[in-house]
Amino acid sequence: MNSLDVKRSKPVSPIIASIPHGSSQITPEMLASKKPEIVLSNNDWFLNELYSFLERLNITTVSADYSRYVIDVNREISLNNRAEDYTKSLVYQKSTFGRDLYDIPLSEETILNRIETIIFDNAS
């Protein structure tokens, strides 16, 4: 799975629409490490379908192919990934209801791997 879905307009448009929370998919690593009882309820369901009309307007769209719970691509990359408040983390450790997502907090290596593979591998 790619981290980003880019739908280029034809003809090329000067407008690009960002849909940062366009998916509810999680990685196999996250599925294996998250608490099974945790429900990832704060996904923005069906955003790609909601904004599908942009293609008819010849507007390029860029959409994340992973849930914001894997990595929130709409956050500043320098945010503290150990923050208690999910709104201050690039990689969430807690749900939007303040519940721990993992029995064992994510290691710095796991967090950096998500940043590297999901953000930087797609930057080129």
Side-chain angles (χ1 to χ4, degrees):
M1 175 187 293
N2 292 325
S3 300
L4 296 172
D5 182 26
V6 178
K7 292 187 176 146
R8 289 179 171 73
S9 62
K10 292 179 183 154
V12 175
S13 168
I15 301 170
I16 298 174
S18 171
I19 306 171
H21 305 134
S23 178
S24 60
Q25 295 293 319
I26 63 173
T27 63
E29 166 268 314
M30 183 175 179
L31 182 61
S33 60
K34 91 170 187 58
K35 291 180 175 184
E37 71 273 12
I38 291 292
V39 175
L40 304 176
S41 59
N42 192 26
N43 282 300
D44 292 332
W45 303 98
F46 307 109
L47 280 186
N48 289 326
E49 292 82 359
L50 178 66
Y51 290 105
S52 64
F53 70 90
L54 294 173
E55 186 176 355
R56 291 190 306 278
L57 299 175
N58 291 325
I59 294 173
T60 293
T61 59
V62 178
S63 177
D65 275 346
Y66 286 111
S67 168
R68 64 172 42 178
Y69 283 97
V70 176
I71 189 166
D72 194 331
V73 297
N74 202 33
R75 303 265 188 240
E76 178 64 39
I77 201 161
S78 64
L79 284 174
N80 175 0
N81 290 306
R82 300 288 180 199
E84 289 292 314
D85 183 352
Y86 79 93
T87 65
K88 296 183 177 28
S89 288
L90 184 63
V91 176
Y92 296 7
Q93 298 282 335
K94 294 191 176 280
S95 74
T96 54
F97 297 110
R99 295 185 63 203
D100 290 331
L101 294 176
Y102 308 98
D103 285 322
I104 300 169
L106 295 178
S107 68
E108 195 64 30
E109 179 183 355
T110 299
I111 292 170
L112 292 174
N113 184 55
R114 286 188 190 180
I115 293 169
E116 183 67 31
T117 58
I118 295 175
I119 293 180
F120 290 124
D121 280 357
N122 286 278
S124 51

